[in-house]
């Protein structure tokens, strides 16, 4: 495979469905398909899809063709929307600057009126102060603490509206898409084709998987919370621009208090602030439209419902275009009925800003590919002497190709955590199942692992049932992240992939760790108290995490994990590791990269 090619689109090919004649030969060039799905000069997303079908590289599916048509239509509307948003952001920046200048001018006028002057000024001020005191005493019974600052703030805002005018109106955003359907039906493939096609059209675009998005939300929440605590600890400090004003100390303190009050009014809760940082880097200095591609939307617990509702609603309200995938229709996401009012507002916002499109196929096309190519060369079972010998031989062969020196190391995890890796060798690591899934680790640890190692060996994988439900959920999350980062995976398991998950009829799983956001450095868990009204408080003790998944939701998760494990054994997936994994995008010694690539790909050819 060619070096230096775009890595984002090959990922989408992993879900492509081949005709029975073509898939048995596996004669498809992934790079040619990548070119068709991401070339900026291609005739259109729908035509790309039809061309792949005509070439026999996809099997025609009317549901997928409909989604491709909808995505192409959205792509066409985005070009004009990007231009409209660029103009809007310029107007908005000018308006904000003018408003801030006028606000400070009004603040200075009020400060001057409070500055001590000549004798007659002082007399008049004392008379005015006496009158104000008398008026205040008459009405103090009906005035709550802080109302004076609130009235002052509102009066200033009204004056600014008349002086500067109202905020410019944002252009109407095109409706996004919410794509839902069965495991392996092509949702992610089509969303990725769309995301790749937006390159060069829309400046601000992000693609998140559910786990990664939840971690980022928690990380941003924590940073904002820490900043607020830091600001409260230094409330007595006065900004340098205020210190340089030609007023006495008391007046400067008044100005500082007014500024602080304005900031408190604007920061009513954390979620809007997180949403503003979630998609666009405000420091980039770029303007334009925003697109969020969100894979596998779930509502696994109260936090997910509140966070997704607050952040996605904020983004949609400010013009972000959403393209999302999920196994469920929006109204069916909340099977357990948690936070019904907040959830319903979330669904209503999605209905307003997105079209809901079902991929109705019941075929899992990952299995379809695997029927023609799956030889289980990376998945060894059962855990007998023969399988153990093959697993150990594969470990020795790969590490020998990469230099043969086995070392231990520590890799950084989000929130200041660390993950110990006892056996590693130039991008290859080995773990026991209980180490990765038998202790309270979660998505943050698995993302760090997947980013640092292109090849992962996992031994002693048991048959999973309700007796080890937490381990099963962690293993599913682990597979999700290894798959999302396109890792090469070797497994030594007690049973076949098809029989790996059992006992789901026994009830719902209760998983306290697989969506955890824990940090030892901060002395506790990061999730803030989620209030009933949907705000996230800026202060307060962190709370424990309780994740509740319905039995049906577990079945989705199990089926997805099995589907992905099967695909991760196929030659097409393995050929993509070299081009897709983050390890190979960093500057590594060419000899090590090439030897790893040669070994893995000769095994898959």
């Amino acid at each position: 495979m060619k070096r230096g090619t775009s890595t984002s689109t090959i990922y989408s090919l992993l879900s492509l469905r081949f005709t029975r004649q073509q898939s048995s030969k596996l004669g498809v060039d992934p790079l040619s398909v990548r070119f068709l799905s991401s070339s900026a000069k291609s005739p259109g997303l729908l035509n790309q899809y039809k061309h792949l079908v005509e070439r026999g590289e996809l099997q025609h599916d009317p549901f997928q063709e409909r989604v491709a048509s909808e995505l192409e239509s959205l792509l066409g509307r985005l070009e004009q929307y990007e231009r409209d948003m660029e103009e809007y952001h310029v107007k908005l920046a000018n308006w904000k600057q003018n408003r801030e200048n006028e606000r400070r001018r009004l603040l200075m006028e009020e400060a001057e009126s409070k500055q001590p002057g000549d004798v007659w000024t002082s007399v008049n001020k004392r008379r005015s102060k006496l009158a104000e005191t008398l008026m205040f005493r008459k009405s103090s019974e009906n005035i709550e603490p802080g109302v004076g600052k609130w009235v002052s703030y509102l009066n200033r805002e009204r004056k600014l509206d008349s002086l500067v005018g109202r905020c410019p109106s944002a252009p109407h955003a095109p409706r996004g898409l919410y794509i839902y359907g069965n495991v392996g039906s092509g949702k992610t493939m089509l969303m990725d084709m769309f995301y790749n096609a937006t390159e060069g059209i829309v400046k601000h675009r992000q693609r998140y998987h559910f786990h990664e998005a939840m971690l980022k939300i928690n990380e941003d929440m924590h940073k904002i919370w820490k900043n607020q605590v830091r600001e409260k600890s230094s409330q007595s400090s006065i900004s340098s621009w205020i210190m340089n004003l030609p007023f006495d100390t008391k007046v400067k303190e008044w100005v500082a208090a007014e500024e602080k009050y304005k900031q408190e009014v604007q920061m009513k809760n954390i979620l809007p602030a997180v949403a503003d940082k979630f998609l666009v880097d405000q420091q980039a200095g770029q303007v334009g439209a925003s697109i969020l591609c969100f894979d596998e939307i779930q509502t696994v617990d109260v936090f997910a419902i509140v966070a997704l509702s607050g952040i996605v609603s904020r983004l949609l309200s400010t013009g972000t275009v959403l393209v999302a995938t999920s196994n469920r229709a929006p109204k069916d996401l909340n099977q357990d009925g948690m936070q019904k009012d907040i959830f319903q507002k979330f669904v209503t916002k999605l209905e307003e800003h997105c079209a809901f499109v079902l991929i109705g196929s019941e075929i899992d096309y990952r299995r379809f590919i695997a029927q023609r190519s799956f030889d289980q060369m990376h998945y060894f079972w059962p855990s007998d002497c023969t399988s153990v010998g093959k697993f150990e031989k594969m470990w020795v062969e790969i590490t020998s190709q990469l230099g043969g020196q086995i070392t231990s190391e520590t890799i950084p995890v989000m929130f200041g955590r660390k993950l110990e890796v006892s056996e590693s060798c130039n991008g290859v690591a080995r773990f026991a199942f209980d180490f990765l899934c038998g202790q309270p680790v979660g998505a943050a640890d698995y993302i760090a692992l997947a980013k640092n190692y292109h090849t992962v060996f996992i031994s002693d994988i048991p048959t999973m049932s309700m007796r080890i439900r937490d381990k099963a959920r962690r293993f599913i999350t682990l597979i999700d992240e290894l798959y999302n980062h396109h890792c090469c995976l070797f497994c030594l398991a007690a049973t076949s992939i098809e029989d790996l998950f059992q006992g789901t009829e026994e009830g719902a799983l209760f998983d306290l760790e697989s969506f955890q956001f824990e940090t030892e450095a901060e002395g506790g868990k990061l999730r803030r108290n989620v209030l009933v009204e949907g705000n996230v408080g800026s202060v307060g003790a962190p709370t424990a995490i309780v994740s509740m998944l319905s039995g049906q939701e577990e079945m989705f998760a199990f089926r997805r994990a099995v589907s992905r494990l099967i695909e991760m054994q196929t030659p097409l997936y393995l050929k993509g590791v070299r081009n897709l994994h983050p390890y190979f995008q960093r500057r590594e010694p060419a000899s090590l990269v090439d030897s790893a690539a040669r070994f893995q790909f000769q095994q898959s050819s």
Side-chain angles (χ1 to χ4, degrees), residues 3 402 409 425-428 451-454 578 581-597:
R3 301 183 64 177
L402 296 173
E409 59 183 342
C425 177
N426 294 317
V428 180
K451 286 181 177 179
N452 280 277
Y453 301 103
H454 57 78
R578 171 62 184 84
H581 195 275
Y583 183 91
F584 294 112
Q585 309 311 312
R586 299 190 293 266
R587 293 184 178 180
E588 298 291 343
S591 59
L592 295 179
V593 171
D594 291 341
S595 62

Side-chain angles (χ1 to χ4, degrees), residues 178-185 187 296-298 325-329 333 358 553 556-557 560:
Y178 181 102
I179 308 165
Y180 66 101
N182 191 41
V183 169
S185 58
K187 303 182 297 294
E296 292 185 18
I297 283 185
Q298 307 170 46
T325 70
S326 180
N327 290 321
R328 292 185 178 278
L333 283 171
L358 170 68
E553 200 66 43
F556 277 129
R560 185 179 70 245

Side-chain angles (χ1 to χ4, degrees), residues 129-170:
K129 185 66 175 179
L130 179 60
E132 289 177 4
T133 302
L134 291 173
M135 290 290 293
F136 179 77
R137 285 178 181 175
K138 291 180 180 179
S139 57
S140 59
E141 295 180 358
N142 299 321
I143 297 178
E144 296 180 4
V147 73
K149 289 187 180 295
W150 175 240
V151 172
S152 177
Y153 174 80
L154 286 181
N155 287 336
R156 205 173 295 130
E157 290 296 304
R158 291 192 189 99
K159 289 181 182 178
L160 290 172
D161 287 341
S162 63
L163 291 170
V164 183
R166 295 285 185 176
C167 179
S169 298

Side-chain angles (χ1 to χ4, degrees), residues 79-142:
E79 294 192 46
Q80 182 59 48
Y81 183 57
E82 172 71 14
R83 291 191 289 268
D84 293 341
M85 285 298 289
E86 286 180 348
E87 295 177 3
Y88 162 72
H89 279 295
V90 171
K91 294 178 181 177
L92 181 63
N94 292 334
W95 178 84
K96 286 181 177 179
Q97 185 61 55
N98 292 336
R99 190 178 180 89
E100 179 62 17
N101 292 340
E102 286 295 323
R103 190 189 65 79
R104 288 200 178 185
R105 185 182 64 79
L106 292 176
L107 196 60
M108 291 304 97
E109 288 180 357
E110 293 182 48
E112 287 177 4
S113 69
K114 297 178 181 297
Q115 177 69 14
D118 54 28
V119 175
W120 290 111
T121 303
S122 299
V123 170
N124 290 333
K125 284 188 175 181
R126 282 196 294 272
R127 289 176 178 174
S128 176
K129 185 66 175 179
L130 179 60
E132 289 177 4
T133 302
L134 291 173
M135 290 290 293
F136 179 77
R137 285 178 181 175
K138 291 180 180 179
S139 57
S140 59
E141 295 180 358
N142 299 321

